[in-house]
Amino acid sequence: MFLTITSTSDESEAAESPATDLGYLLHKHPDRAQKFGLPVGDAHVFYPRADATSCTAALLLEVDPIALVRGRGPRPADGFSLAQYVNDRPYAASSMLAVALGKVFRTAIAARCDARPDLPSKQLNLQVHLPALPCRGGAEVARRLFAPLGWEADITPVPLDPELGWGDSRYLDVRLTGRMRLFEALSQLYVLLPVLDDAKHYWVSADEVDKLVRAGEGWLATHPERTLITERYLRHQRRLVNEASERFAGLDDATLSDEDTELPADLVELKDEVPGSGITVSVGGVVAVGGEEALGGAVALVEEPESHAERQVSLAVQRIRAVLEAVRASGAQTVADLGCGEGKLVKELLADSRFQRVLGVDVSDRALTVAARRLRLDEMPERARARVELRQSSLVYADPGLAGFDAAVLMEVIEHVDASRLRALAACVFGAAHPRHVFVTTPNVEYNPHYGLAEHEKRHPDHRFEFDRAQFQKWATQVAQDYGYSVQIRGIGQEDETSGPPTQMAVFTVLAATEVPR
């Protein structure tokens, strides 16, 4: 594995700020080649070039595949018996290179320089080169992760074989150029290398949350792809992802200034009605209520004041707006959010006084605990507290407590259920509970290529399936016929002529004098 970091200075700057300051920051002398022993092999640091105008530090990780697996017990057969030894791990930048960065440049990442204490706070003209970087999702995902951090990214897919024309591999040749402090650049690489690969060579435990929060200080809390980064870094372990989301949301709240809390006139009611609404500002031109992540990545957001309206509104914003608009238009006064996650939609519903009763349902006790904390149930006035209930329940088993509501919402939920259990879900929601209106949103798999996803690659590792438009229409129509509903299919997000919308929504309305199947 190989990585280079280059610092450059103009001739006019070289006298006061020579590029060789990079050596002070890295605590590695340009005239020496150094070797460091690591559990996965040996790391070498050397300088191909070091002068006043350009200084390049190279990190070469020589992976020992034998040491990597020695003494770790049997491995599952992966096609052939040598799979654990013969693979791409020794050559492609991954979590092993991130570990090497953390060990070899530990002092630089900590922003310490005893010889020149002023240097860590100085911005440098930096160039980073990763010649073989595996990336799940391709070049587009890499740009989405690096561009918001201020990097100009030159990304070239590496072909499988230039002569045979087999197309591109999963590897990228990445060159990053930007002006920033070195410890920021190293911290970003430490986090993003395993995120892009979407893999780690070691077991992820609870202490990884602490590592992520430390390494992400100052940049990750406001990154527009924070959810993707957090989920991949923590290997999609929901408990750890929820904990990290909660801590980053706390960082958002802690850095909020008074002027950031100003809302458009038509949204002042939301801030006034919900005690401790926790308005926070998020990158991407939106104001976020609370900051936590809901099931399926839906984040309840509202637009900033008009002066900031030119910024693009995310799909998550558009999705929750569309759901809220549809629920309001239905005239419902009691609403059940089925699969409420950490309570984002519940919080938005409570902000509207027309909803007299709001129920949040989730199978995860952990999610409901976080939702209760986010909603600040303990601090709510008695009148407001009487309007909301959180309930642990499964949507594939009939629950009498879900009956009697005007409307039910399943926002980015059905794709998390095994396809074989959709029939049971429909029987419980449309049959046993039988609300007057049901609102279901789910990804449109036809739109996935716009996110850089390959064929058969899902938007989230926990998705059991993803419908295309015809499949969703067929499923919704059948459910409507079985349980006495009419149904309309709508799109959410910017629609493509060929692929359709990124999110699709079914609006079910019960037919008059319907006999509910049991």
Side-chain angles (χ1 to χ4, degrees):
M1 301 180 190
F2 188 66
L3 172 149
T4 63
I5 302 173
T6 300
S7 175
T8 60
S9 294
D10 294 336
E11 292 185 4
S12 58
E13 302 173 333
E16 294 185 4
S17 301
T20 47
D21 283 350
L22 182 65
Y24 284 99
L25 288 167
L26 294 176
H27 287 249
K28 305 293 181 287
H29 199 287
D31 292 337
R32 294 175 54 197
Q34 295 178 263
K35 179 180 176 180
F36 304 86
L38 299 173
V40 298
D42 294 322
H44 305 266
V45 178
F46 55 94
Y47 289 76
R49 178 177 179 178
D51 56 46
T53 59
S54 181
C55 182
T56 298
L59 173 62
L60 173 66
L61 178 58
E62 192 175 14
V63 176
D64 182 350
I66 306 299
L68 198 60
V69 299
R70 183 185 294 127
R72 299 195 179 185
R75 292 290 187 275
D78 237 355
F80 61 101
S81 59
L82 295 179
Q84 57 183 322
Y85 301 102
V86 183
N87 53 60
D88 65 345
R89 298 297 88 184
Y91 312 104
S94 66
S95 61
M96 285 185 276
L97 184 58
V99 169
L101 274 174
K103 298 289 186 182
V104 175
F105 298 141
R106 179 173 53 190
T107 307
I109 292 176
R112 279 184 45 223
C113 182
D114 297 335
R116 299 276 300 279
D118 60 312
L119 277 184
S121 62
K122 293 182 63 175
Q123 290 191 333
L124 307 178
N125 297 317
L126 295 177
Q127 299 171 6
V128 176
H129 183 208
L130 291 153
L133 176 63
C135 182
R136 179 173 178 262
E140 179 58 30
V141 169
R143 288 191 180 92
R144 282 162 47 195
L145 297 188
F146 285 119
L149 299 173
W151 292 107
E152 181 181 333
D154 181 6
I155 302 175
T156 305
V158 177
L160 286 169
D161 190 305
E163 296 182 0
L164 296 179
W166 285 345
D168 294 332
S169 68
R170 64 187 289 262
Y171 306 99
L172 306 173
D173 184 321
V174 177
R175 296 177 185 271
L176 306 174
T177 305
R179 182 172 178 82
M180 64 182 64
R181 293 172 292 187
L182 180 66
F183 73 86
E184 294 173 327
L186 294 175
S187 297
Q188 293 163 9
L189 291 171
Y190 177 81
V191 172
L192 295 181
L193 288 180
V195 166
L196 289 161
D197 191 17
D198 199 12
K200 282 193 173 183
H201 69 283
Y202 58 89
W203 175 253
V204 173
S205 57
D207 61 351
E208 291 295 293
V209 176
D210 294 329
K211 292 182 184 178
L212 180 62
V213 172
R214 285 197 302 269
E217 184 177 357
W219 63 274
L220 184 50
T222 56
H223 197 294
E225 297 292 344
R226 187 182 77 191
T227 300
L228 175 65
I229 294 170
T230 302
E231 289 180 343
R232 287 192 177 191
Y233 187 87
L234 298 173
R235 298 300 295 126
H236 309 284
Q237 295 191 45
R238 179 52 52 189
R239 178 178 62 84
L240 300 182
V241 171
N242 289 342
E243 181 181 344
S245 298
E246 180 181 352
R247 292 177 65 175
F248 281 122
L251 291 176
D252 284 346
D253 293 339
T255 57
L256 185 65
S257 64
D258 291 339
E259 63 185 23
D260 289 332
T261 64
E262 183 179 5
L263 292 177
D266 59 337
L267 292 171
V268 171
E269 178 185 347
L270 181 148
K271 182 181 176 185
D272 290 341
E273 278 209 17
V274 182
S277 57
I279 307 299
T280 61
V281 174
S282 170
V283 169
V286 293
V287 176
V289 184
E292 73 273 29
E293 305 300 332
L295 178 63
V299 183
L301 301 176
V302 294
E303 279 188 319
E304 274 190 300
E306 190 65 28
S307 59
H308 302 284
E310 294 180 0
R311 300 176 187 171
Q312 185 177 1
V313 178
S314 71
L315 177 61
V317 178
Q318 298 175 62
R319 182 189 301 121
I320 201 165
R321 279 183 181 168
V323 170
L324 287 169
E325 181 181 348
V327 175
R328 287 168 179 151
S330 72
Q333 295 182 336
T334 58
V335 183
D337 180 11
L338 307 180
C340 67
E342 296 177 7
K344 177 57 69 174
L345 180 60
V346 171
K347 193 169 189 176
E348 294 282 20
L349 292 167
L350 285 174
D352 192 329
S353 58
R354 80 186 74 190
F355 301 119
Q356 299 174 4
R357 183 185 176 202
V358 178
L359 173 68
V361 177
D362 204 279
V363 71
S364 168
D365 179 67
R366 160 75 182 179
L368 294 174
T369 300
V370 175
R373 189 180 306 132
R374 291 294 184 204
L375 295 170
R376 303 186 182 181
L377 294 185
D378 294 340
E379 303 174 19
M380 275 190 181
E382 185 176 347
R383 182 178 177 182
R385 181 66 181 85
R387 294 171 56 212
V388 61
E389 177 189 353
L390 297 180
R391 182 183 185 89
Q392 185 177 18
S393 184
S394 170
L395 300 183
V396 296
Y397 298 100
D399 182 349
L402 307 187
F405 285 84
D406 297 336
V409 176
L410 294 95
M411 187 168 66
E412 307 299 283
V413 171
I414 63 171
E415 64 273 11
H416 293 268
V417 178
D418 290 328
S420 61
R421 310 200 77 183
L422 282 181
R423 186 182 296 274
L425 180 146
C428 295
V429 174
F430 294 87
H434 203 63
R436 292 209 308 267
H437 307 276
V438 182
F439 306 90
V440 179
T441 75
T442 193
N444 170 21
V445 70
E446 297 170 75
Y447 201 88
N448 284 0
H450 294 275
Y451 296 118
L453 298 177
E455 190 176 1
H456 308 305
E457 194 173 10
K458 299 180 179 64
R459 294 190 199 178
H460 191 285
D462 190 51
H463 286 183
R464 305 301 199 267
F465 64 89
E466 289 178 352
F467 279 139
D468 60 28
R469 285 171 291 175
Q471 291 169 331
F472 186 53
Q473 176 80 56
K474 180 179 179 181
W475 174 82
T477 300
Q478 187 62 57
V479 168
Q481 291 175 355
D482 290 345
Y483 296 98
Y485 286 81
S486 64
V487 64
Q488 293 181 343
I489 305 297
R490 305 175 185 176
I492 300 176
Q494 184 173 359
E495 190 159 345
D496 180 80
E497 289 186 7
T498 303
S499 308
T503 297
Q504 43 195 344
M505 176 168 68
V507 178
F508 296 86
T509 303
V510 72
L511 298 173
T514 303
E515 182 177 345
V516 182
R518 299 296 181 185

